[in-house]
Amino acid sequence: MNYYSDSINNLIEEMASLPGIGPKSAQRLAFHILNLPQSRVEHLADSIVTARKKICLCKKCFNLSDQNICPICSNPKRDASTIMVVEEASDLAAYEKTGQYHGVYHVLHGAVNPMAGIQPENIKLKELMQRLQREEVKEVIIATNSTVEGEATALWISKFVKQAGIRVTRIASGVPVGGALEFIDEMTLFRALEGRTEI
Amino acid sequence: MNYYSDSINNLIEEMASLPGIGPKSAQRLAFHILNLPQSRVEHLADSIVTARKKICLCKKCFNLSDQNICPICSNPKRDASTIMVVEEASDLAAYEKTGQYHGVYHVLHGAVNPMAGIQPENIKLKELMQRLQREEVKEVIIATNSTVEGEATALWISKFVKQAGIRVTRIASGVPVGGALEFIDEMTLFRALEGRTEI
């Protein structure tokens, strides 16, 4: 690109390096930024640097946080005796948006995947075991993804939680709300049948 | 969002303020940035601030630039006697990508639109007239958008370029390459018929 100046090309390239941003969106974002007031742009850049600089993991649940203990773990209204295990910090947001879960979380930061070299010791599984020993936990809800890796991790967790004499549950697999049966894969339909409930 | 820390929420909000970035993409971008190495993040923030700080308009063609004269106007290989008039600096990139245009540009930064209060004096039209007087121009190619505003602006420009005794052309309207006739609107088909050429 030799039709724009270096600093503009540089900005477009930086935008294009972000996930899900193609060359056209990158140019659009760059031109949007160039049209913003200088103070807004500085605020944007500052938010990026500050968030990255302050980021750490919550010492209890390993959610991303800028403090030792994240807002969920430090909230006295949350039920600390129920732990939902998720793969990533972004999965936690999905459940929080339902507004129906009042327990706390445990973020694994991955799933067991021997093919990709991710062993149980590479994710926060040991830390989960330690929590079960240290804290008064009544139930562990496993909310890893419905993928091969997620299911394998769920199986792994369920074993040692059961051994600790704690109730362990798995979120339901089935037909998504609003989903039309004809477009849903066989595996999901099989799970939905298996997991049927009395009405 | 009271499940992430303030600095993370702040970053997500900043991302969501960018054009074409919805709440889910914003979260995805924020988490991507939080996972980058610190030095990469600083480089990203620096590109944003630097580009915005240095940005100015090319004194000749009003392309966005970080120098007085943009890379196109300062390129001796470009034919300065042919000027393509475009609405925005981003339109220029589209023509540059074809690699088939070797003249220079004039960026209007808008189109005449009385309904939105954009009069001929609000865009770089006077500057175009001055260029025609000052420079040795043989042809002006009008490449404003095929919208009501773009067409009105094209008409406006064609009048004073003709008065100056300079050749003025308009890029062709017609069926896009790869376009199936049945899906193309009547106005475009009418233009394609009008603009038919001998084969």
Side-chain angles (χ1 to χ4, degrees):
Chain A
M1 291 186 290
N2 51 2
Y3 37 96
Y4 293 130
S5 309
D6 293 344
S7 58
I8 303 176
N9 288 336
N10 200 359
L11 178 59
I12 296 175
E13 275 165 33
E14 282 287 344
M15 292 295 119
S17 76
L18 298 174
I21 308 289
K24 290 215 173 177
S25 303
Q27 186 177 308
R28 192 171 164 220
L29 285 177
F31 278 66
H32 171 83
I33 289 171
L34 294 174
N35 278 315
L36 287 176
Q38 180 101 33
S39 60
R40 274 287 295 118
V41 172
E42 275 161 17
H43 191 258
L44 169 66
D46 186 57
S47 304
I48 292 173
V49 173
T50 305
R52 177 61 187 81
K53 204 175 273 171
K54 285 190 176 175
I55 202 74
C56 60
L57 299 182
C58 169
K59 293 239 182 303
K60 274 190 147 173
C61 73
F62 302 94
N63 182 12
L64 293 176
S65 174
D66 58 15
Q67 258 127 23
N68 268 337
I69 304 294
C70 78
I72 295 176
C73 289
S74 59
N75 184 345
K77 285 183 188 156
R78 308 290 298 225
D79 169 17
S81 70
T82 306
I83 297 180
M84 181 182 280
V85 182
V86 293
E87 291 184 23
E88 301 293 345
S90 46
D91 298 336
L92 176 160
Y95 257 96
E96 282 300 293
K97 274 172 196 150
T98 68
Q100 297 301 310
Y101 179 65
H102 306 292
V104 295
Y105 292 90
H106 186 87
V107 183
L108 294 174
H109 292 274
V112 178
N113 184 356
M115 301 284 280
I118 303 172
Q119 303 293 339
E121 56 269 28
N122 299 126
I123 60 176
K124 306 286 182 193
L125 272 173
K126 199 178 66 216
E127 289 81 355
L128 177 59
M129 290 192 236
Q130 288 166 350
R131 277 183 85 175
L132 298 184
Q133 288 161 1
R134 227 173 24 222
E135 298 169 25
E136 191 121 343
V137 180
K138 287 186 189 141
E139 181 177 354
V140 172
I141 303 168
I142 308 177
T144 52
N145 292 332
S146 269
T147 56
V148 176
E149 295 79 24
E151 296 293 355
T153 310
L155 206 69
W156 219 94
I157 295 171
S158 69
K159 274 183 193 166
F160 74 72
V161 178
K162 267 181 203 161
Q163 279 173 358
I166 297 167
R167 184 183 179 206
V168 55
T169 54
R170 177 91 174 102
I171 55 166
S173 265
V175 180
V177 176
L181 280 198
E182 59 174 329
F183 300 121
I184 293 172
D185 64 290
E186 297 80 5
M187 199 59 208
T188 302
L189 290 179
F190 172 68
R191 292 279 187 86
L193 181 66
E194 257 197 339
R196 68 193 182 277
T197 52
E198 298 282 344
I199 52 169
Chain B
M1 292 186 289
N2 50 2
Y3 37 96
Y4 293 130
S5 311
D6 293 344
S7 58
I8 303 175
N9 288 335
N10 200 0
L11 178 59
I12 297 175
E13 274 165 34
E14 282 287 344
M15 293 295 119
S17 76
L18 296 173
I21 308 289
K24 289 214 174 178
S25 302
Q27 187 177 307
R28 193 170 163 218
L29 285 177
F31 277 66
H32 171 82
I33 289 171
L34 293 175
N35 277 316
L36 288 175
Q38 179 101 34
S39 60
R40 275 286 297 117
V41 173
E42 274 161 17
H43 190 259
L44 169 66
D46 186 57
S47 304
I48 293 174
V49 172
T50 305
R52 178 60 186 83
K53 204 176 272 171
K54 285 190 174 176
I55 201 74
C56 60
L57 299 183
C58 168
K59 292 239 182 305
K60 273 190 148 174
C61 74
F62 303 94
N63 181 12
L64 292 177
S65 175
D66 57 15
Q67 258 125 26
N68 268 336
I69 304 295
C70 80
I72 295 177
C73 289
S74 60
N75 184 346
K77 286 184 186 153
R78 306 292 297 227
D79 169 17
S81 70
T82 307
I83 297 180
M84 181 182 281
V85 181
V86 292
E87 291 183 23
E88 300 293 346
S90 46
D91 298 336
L92 176 160
Y95 257 97
E96 282 301 293
K97 274 172 196 150
T98 67
Q100 298 301 310
Y101 178 66
H102 307 292
V104 294
Y105 292 90
H106 186 87
V107 183
L108 294 175
H109 291 274
V112 178
N113 184 357
M115 300 284 280
I118 304 173
Q119 303 293 340
E121 56 268 27
N122 299 126
I123 60 175
K124 306 287 182 193
L125 273 173
K126 199 178 66 215
E127 289 81 354
L128 177 60
M129 290 192 237
Q130 288 166 350
R131 279 183 81 175
L132 298 184
Q133 287 161 3
R134 226 171 26 219
E135 298 170 26
E136 192 120 341
V137 181
K138 287 186 188 142
E139 181 176 354
V140 172
I141 303 169
I142 307 177
T144 51
N145 291 333
S146 269
T147 56
V148 175
E149 295 80 24
E151 295 294 356
T153 310
L155 205 70
W156 218 95
I157 296 171
S158 69
K159 274 184 192 165
F160 74 72
V161 179
K162 267 182 204 159
Q163 279 172 0
I166 297 168
R167 185 184 179 207
V168 55
T169 54
R170 177 88 172 104
I171 54 166
S173 264
V175 181
V177 176
L181 281 198
E182 60 173 329
F183 300 121
I184 293 172
D185 64 290
E186 297 81 6
M187 199 59 208
T188 301
L189 290 178
F190 171 69
R191 291 280 188 84
L193 181 65
E194 256 197 341
R196 68 193 181 278
T197 53
E198 297 282 345
I199 53 169

